[in-house]
Amino acid sequence: MINHPHDCPVCDEGGECHLQDMTVMTRHTYRRYRFRKNTHRNQELGPFIHHEMNRCIACYRCVRFYRDYAGGRDLNVFGIHNRLYFGRFDNGTLENEFSGNLVEVCPTGVFTDKTFRKHFTRKWDLQTAPSVCVHCGVGCNTLPGERYGTLRRIRNRYNGEVNGYFLCDRGRFGYDFVNTDHRIRTAFRGDGSGGMTEISPNDGVEILGGMLDQSQGLIGIGSPRASLESNYALWKLVGPERFYSGLSGKELSLVRAVLEIVRSAPAPSPSLRQVEASDAILILGEDLTNTAPRMALSLRQSVLIQPVQAAEKLGIERWNDRPLRQAIRNDHGPLFNVAATVTRLADVATENIQAAPDDIARLGFAVARELDESAPDVDDLTGGMRETARNIAAALKTAEAPLIISGIGSGQQSVMHAAANVAAALRRMGRDASLALIVPECNSFGVGLMDGGPLEAAMAEINEGRADTIVIVENDLYRRMPRGVVDEFLARAKNTIVIDHIFSGTSSNARLIMPAATFAEGEGSLVSSEGRCQRFFKVVDNPGEIRESWRWLGDLMMNTGRADSRAFDCLDSVTRAMSEELPVFKRVPEVAPDADFRAVGQKIPRQSHRYSGRTAMHANVDVHEPKPPGDPDSALAFSMEGFRGMPPSSLIPRFWAPGWNSVQAINKFQSEINGPLVGGDPGLRLIEGDDAVEFAYFTSVPNAFHPRKDEWLVVPAYHIFGSEELSALSPPIRERVQGPYIGLNPEDSQSLELVDGQECELVILNNSVKLPVKLISSVPKGVAVLPIGLEGLETMSLPALGRIVAGDSGHEGSD
């Protein structure tokens, strides 16, 4: 632990004292001190967590999770004489991206969810349902809780193959966008320039039908954050040849590259459980803590595999914690982290290599060559990089289950091709290698499987007069393309119809806006970056105006007399029709039981058996308890009556068992501790590569990057708080979002005569933006990093060459 010779937070006297180093307490010591330490101060630990020491029983769960499992360093246990204190030395926000798990880890409520406190409800009065996180492509399982029509909290839903026991803070606290003023809660008729008139949804459907009748050509733009069913309904409405994915050409090409690699099967895609079992890791071009946080947490466990195996050879069992810690100390297994900047995994990495995307790809190709001489060679590789490639290859060769990770975060297909070559070379050597490719949004993988065209092709349809009406489903085009391009596209269209749940720049230019359901108010399916299809179910019943996008589109087809509109009566009909028309989705109906499923003749209740106030909730309307709303789309009931046994794993609405408290009841639903759920974990893999076909190495090796005199290679940077669209609208998350910046190497900054915090102008093609400079010593020379998705930043296709022009001196920034 840490000695602090000043202002000890444990000492009542204050001033100077000698804070004792603490190790894990014995049970005898714990009994002596447990009743003598509950006099210490509480803490506010940022926008997510509140800390109340008067409840602490010194179980050490918080420290063990935060420091040993999640890699946090700003929370610890401090002791002096007979007093203990668990918390931060100073007040302040917990820095670790997984701090929200302390709420579930703590058995007594020392750590409480501040977002839940703002609209507190007793946990047994929360209506809950199984769901899937919508804030990245990992596909973590969640349990949203609702009361009085308000989404009040998110808790982890155990899935042994995916998120296990833990969530990242973005997934846990990003839900509040559902409750904000950014929501579209009724239909609007717009004038195309920001003016809106509220109308009834029924009128909206009639107006929409009239627009389509008068249309000279109709195109549909889908979305990687909309469900499979919503994208399919749009695909069905406009036809496959006029359905567009909602992704720019650059992003769509990257998603298609992921699909091509997965289908060609250089190595299987791992689940997060398999990631944790990997004993050597190579990351190429991906900042996992910011693009796939839960996978980054799994990697912190995988680097312990080799040290634990070494300790077992000394006769130390895995359960014997204290001797195991002493044997391992700070040892880590091989993890090579290759990115444009140092990432949050740097503390557990064997080596951190910073390079431009092309050089990252070249290093990956060189590693594959070191593993297999039949792989393409890399010319003119510098001596240092060649030695690094040999070291990486040597570590991967000796591993039993190596893991290669890449994705579209670097913006370069060649980086993913290099990762595929490394994985294929390892498989040819007989290693049980796996390859994880990361996509950014909750259904990027799914919409990519639908073979829709890029946004540029949709724009060509409007610009060339082949269409005049656009239907956009759950997508803000201004996050995909530069503002000027989107402005011109929407101005040329006669009618723009937006079906979405949040107001955006796109909806302000629409002629008609229809209110779509969020993940908490609707039901559908999502496909994770692993290719795992999972079902989410509504927890908030919003009758009338808010409906799933696929249901609005089905109503439209019904009103226009389409015979195939009957497929959109309920979710089961949609998934069946989709599975029949699009063979890649043939297993989607198997993801969860259909709406006719009953357990002993009963539905599964969303409400707990202790749910209270059902009559009082509606006393202002009627003193009689109303009939529970129906749900034709699932086997779940909006009621406390129903089957109380163990439902299928995909329908588990909460973890509770007699005599067990809260999340500790999970063990009653598992086949074994930390094992799969009874009956198997939720979700089905849609794509399994064909191992019978030998993978052909990618051969296009990019040229080496050379810094230019007057231009910088601008590469994308991601932030766990702010880069993702929906969570950035949640007020607690907004408190953690930093402002836009341009990151430069200090030497490059000096050559431009720029200081930290000074404003400069970044010019890429015809787009320019003024940003403060942030000095980042790990950025390679000639490279600049630009955050993705932060409010106030123009959307640009990166990587790209840009010019940086010094501006007026600004305020001083921070590292």
Side-chain angles (χ1 to χ4, degrees):
M1 301 303 168
I2 305 171
N3 283 319
H4 294 282
H6 55 83
D7 297 331
C8 171
V10 183
C11 182
D12 290 342
E13 292 78 20
E16 266 191 41
C17 67
H18 298 286
L19 195 65
Q20 301 294 317
D21 283 351
M22 298 295 297
T23 56
V24 177
M25 299 179 70
T26 64
R27 184 177 297 275
H28 173 70
T29 309
Y30 158 66
R31 285 174 177 167
R32 286 177 57 199
Y33 293 158
R34 64 175 294 189
F35 298 112
R36 301 189 63 184
K37 65 175 202 55
N38 294 333
T39 59
H40 309 308
R41 63 173 182 169
N42 300 331
Q43 281 187 314
E44 293 294 331
L45 300 177
F48 303 148
I49 306 294
H50 177 68
H51 180 235
E52 298 184 42
M53 272 295 293
N54 61 329
R55 302 175 181 175
C56 183
I57 59 171
C59 70
Y60 278 80
R61 281 189 179 188
C62 56
V63 172
R64 293 287 299 278
F65 166 77
Y66 195 84
R67 296 182 66 85
D68 300 344
Y69 197 91
R73 289 294 174 264
D74 58 323
L75 181 141
N76 211 334
V77 53
F78 307 100
I80 184 170
H81 189 43
N82 63 346
R83 298 180 180 181
L84 285 179
Y85 176 74
F86 293 79
R88 285 174 57 97
F89 180 69
D90 293 316
N91 283 327
T93 299
L94 288 171
E95 298 170 0
N96 192 270
E97 298 84 2
F98 306 94
S99 61
N101 292 287
L102 294 171
V103 176
E104 293 191 46
V105 166
C106 179
T108 63
V110 170
F111 299 93
T112 53
D113 183 343
K114 290 176 68 174
T115 67
F116 184 41
R117 284 202 314 176
K118 291 179 181 178
H119 36 222
F120 179 75
T121 295
R122 294 172 298 183
K123 64 182 182 181
W124 51 84
D125 282 342
L126 286 172
Q127 184 166 254
T128 54
S131 190
V132 179
C133 182
V134 296
H135 300 305
C136 79
V138 173
C140 295
N141 288 202
T142 61
L143 285 172
E146 175 268 353
R147 181 77 167 177
Y148 292 107
T150 301
L151 187 60
R152 305 206 168 206
R153 77 172 181 187
I154 294 286
R155 299 203 85 170
N156 182 70
R157 178 165 66 107
Y158 180 87
N159 185 321
E161 287 297 320
V162 189
N163 48 295
Y165 295 96
F166 305 116
L167 291 176
C168 75
D169 285 354
R170 181 166 72 187
R172 185 179 296 275
F173 301 112
Y175 70 89
D176 225 14
F177 77 92
V178 175
N179 305 320
T180 65
D181 294 336
H182 291 88
R183 288 296 312 280
I184 300 173
R185 301 188 182 277
T186 189
F188 293 91
R189 186 161 193 174
D191 58 11
S193 59
M196 298 181 189
T197 303
E198 185 175 328
I199 59 175
S200 72
N202 290 335
D203 290 342
V205 173
E206 293 182 7
I207 294 170
L208 179 53
M211 288 180 176
L212 298 190
D213 288 340
Q214 299 173 14
S215 170
Q216 301 302 311
L218 175 66
I219 61 173
I221 297 177
S223 171
R225 62 173 168 86
S227 67
L228 286 179
E229 290 79 6
S230 294
N231 280 298
Y232 167 71
L234 184 61
W235 181 91
K236 191 69 174 175
L237 173 69
V238 301
E241 69 284 350
R242 294 205 167 199
F243 171 79
Y244 299 91
S245 64
L247 300 173
S248 67
K250 177 69 174 290
E251 190 173 4
L252 182 59
S253 68
L254 293 169
V255 171
R256 285 176 172 171
V258 170
L259 297 175
E260 176 192 1
I261 293 170
V262 170
R263 284 172 168 144
S264 59
S269 297
S271 65
L272 290 193
R273 175 178 290 277
Q274 293 167 324
V275 168
E276 290 190 8
S278 302
D279 54 355
I281 301 98
L282 171 61
I283 305 172
L284 290 176
E286 202 70 27
D287 183 0
L288 288 177
T289 307
N290 293 310
T291 60
R294 186 56 186 80
M295 183 175 286
L297 185 61
S298 293
L299 290 181
R300 289 187 175 274
Q301 320 321 313
S302 64
V303 296
L304 299 177
I305 294 293
Q306 286 195 12
V308 168
Q309 290 173 345
E312 287 180 327
K313 293 178 181 179
L314 300 175
I316 303 173
E317 299 292 340
R318 294 194 179 205
W319 56 264
N320 201 350
D321 181 74
R322 182 73 177 277
L324 192 63
R325 288 165 178 271
Q326 293 177 335
I328 292 176
R329 296 186 181 274
N330 294 320
D331 290 345
H332 294 121
L335 188 156
F336 298 91
N337 195 2
V338 190
T341 62
V342 170
T343 72
R344 296 279 284 183
L345 287 172
D347 59 317
V348 295
T350 305
E351 188 172 355
N352 293 287
I353 302 108
Q354 289 77 54
D358 284 342
D359 288 342
I360 293 173
R362 289 168 60 81
L363 178 61
F365 279 109
V367 172
R369 176 71 175 190
E370 293 291 334
L371 294 169
D372 184 358
E373 291 185 355
S374 66
D377 198 4
V378 181
D379 298 328
D380 303 324
L381 196 65
T382 62
M385 291 293 273
R386 181 72 68 182
E387 185 62 27
T388 299
R390 291 195 183 103
N391 293 339
I392 295 173
L396 295 176
K397 280 180 184 178
T398 58
E400 296 180 1
L403 168 65
I404 315 302
I405 301 175
S406 188
I408 76 172
S410 66
Q412 292 283 76
Q413 289 189 36
S414 58
V415 175
M416 293 187 287
H417 291 169
N421 278 12
V422 176
L426 289 166
R427 298 289 287 189
R428 291 187 182 188
M429 296 177 64
R431 299 294 182 270
D432 187 19
S434 52
L435 173 64
L437 297 176
I438 308 302
V439 295
E441 296 179 72
C442 61
N443 206 25
S444 295
F445 201 103
V447 76
L449 291 173
M450 301 190 76
D451 292 329
L455 280 174
E456 290 85 347
M459 293 176 177
E461 292 288 309
I462 297 294
N463 294 338
E464 297 172 14
R466 294 190 292 272
D468 63 355
T469 301
I470 315 166
V471 179
I472 303 172
V473 172
E474 298 183 40
N475 204 338
D476 182 9
L477 304 189
Y478 289 96
R479 294 183 63 90
R480 314 288 175 187
M481 304 283 285
R483 176 166 294 277
V485 175
V486 178
D487 284 341
E488 182 181 358
F489 170 54
L490 297 179
R492 285 178 175 270
K494 178 182 177 182
N495 293 310
T496 300
I497 300 104
V498 171
I499 304 175
D500 206 346
H501 47 73
I502 57 172
F503 287 108
S504 64
T506 301
S507 63
S508 66
N509 288 282
R511 296 286 180 179
L512 182 65
I513 305 170
M514 300 297 288
T518 64
F519 73 96
E521 301 150 341
E523 293 167 337
S525 308
L526 302 172
V527 185
S528 71
S529 56
E530 181 196 346
R532 181 182 296 268
C533 184
Q534 301 179 105
R535 184 74 48 80
F536 62 90
F537 297 91
K538 70 168 68 174
V539 67
V540 180
D541 180 58
N542 278 318
E545 297 192 352
I546 295 177
R547 311 179 74 185
E548 297 96 332
S549 297
W550 58 262
R551 205 180 292 276
W552 284 124
L553 294 168
D555 289 348
L556 173 62
M557 285 187 272
M558 183 179 298
N559 284 4
T560 55
R562 293 265 296 261
D564 50 8
S565 64
R566 288 174 295 181
F568 297 88
D569 291 342
C570 66
L571 185 66
D572 290 340
S573 299
V574 180
T575 55
R576 279 195 298 268
M578 179 174 64
S579 65
E580 292 169 0
E581 284 202 77
L582 299 173
V584 71
F585 299 125
K586 64 181 179 181
R587 298 193 67 193
V588 172
E590 305 171 29
V591 169
D594 59 28
D596 294 331
F597 173 83
R598 298 293 185 272
V600 198
Q602 297 176 306
K603 279 196 165 191
I604 313 301
R606 287 178 168 92
Q607 299 167 2
S608 76
H609 69 289
R610 298 174 65 191
Y611 194 87
S612 63
R614 295 198 304 183
T615 301
M617 291 170 67
H618 303 279
N620 62 320
V621 179
D622 194 336
V623 295
H624 299 93
E625 182 181 335
K627 179 182 178 182
D631 185 2
D633 300 313
S634 77
L636 298 170
F638 286 102
S639 173
M640 62 188 291
E641 289 82 18
F643 178 67
R644 289 290 168 191
M646 188 173 296
S649 60
S650 57
L651 294 178
I652 296 174
R654 74 191 60 81
F655 293 110
W656 181 90
W660 292 84
N661 181 35
S662 194
V663 294
Q664 281 70 43
I666 291 175
N667 73 88
K668 296 298 182 181
F669 293 78
Q670 297 168 304
S671 300
E672 59 179 330
I673 301 299
N674 199 35
L677 293 170
V678 174
D681 294 311
L684 289 173
R685 292 278 296 273
L686 295 185
I687 296 181
E688 298 290 349
D690 189 357
D691 292 331
V693 179
E694 185 174 349
F695 174 79
Y697 285 125
F698 292 102
T699 58
S700 182
V701 180
N703 296 323
F705 169 74
H706 297 288
R708 302 192 179 199
K709 183 177 180 181
D710 298 321
E711 288 184 313
W712 276 256
L713 179 67
V714 184
V715 300
Y718 298 85
H719 290 267
I720 186 172
F721 304 124
S723 290
E724 194 275 324
E725 180 180 8
L726 300 180
S727 64
L729 299 176
S730 177
I733 295 289
R734 291 179 74 89
E735 293 186 36
R736 297 289 304 273
V737 175
Q738 70 174 96
Y741 63 88
I742 181 74
L744 288 174
N745 183 285
E747 292 187 24
D748 286 345
S749 177
Q750 187 175 4
S751 69
L752 288 166
E753 299 182 350
L754 291 169
V755 298
D756 196 20
Q758 182 178 343
E759 188 178 80
C760 68
E761 183 178 10
L762 172 65
V763 181
I764 298 179
L765 297 178
N766 296 323
N767 301 307
S768 67
V769 60
K770 292 184 177 180
L771 298 165
V773 172
K774 182 177 182 180
L775 301 187
I776 306 175
S777 59
S778 62
V779 174
K781 293 180 182 179
V783 174
V785 296
L786 182 68
I788 295 294
L790 298 188
E791 187 176 353
L793 273 179
E794 177 81 5
T795 299
M796 301 180 185
S797 180
L798 302 178
L801 290 172
R803 292 184 297 108
I804 298 175
V805 182
D808 297 331
S809 295
H811 61 278
E812 291 186 2
S814 59
D815 291 337

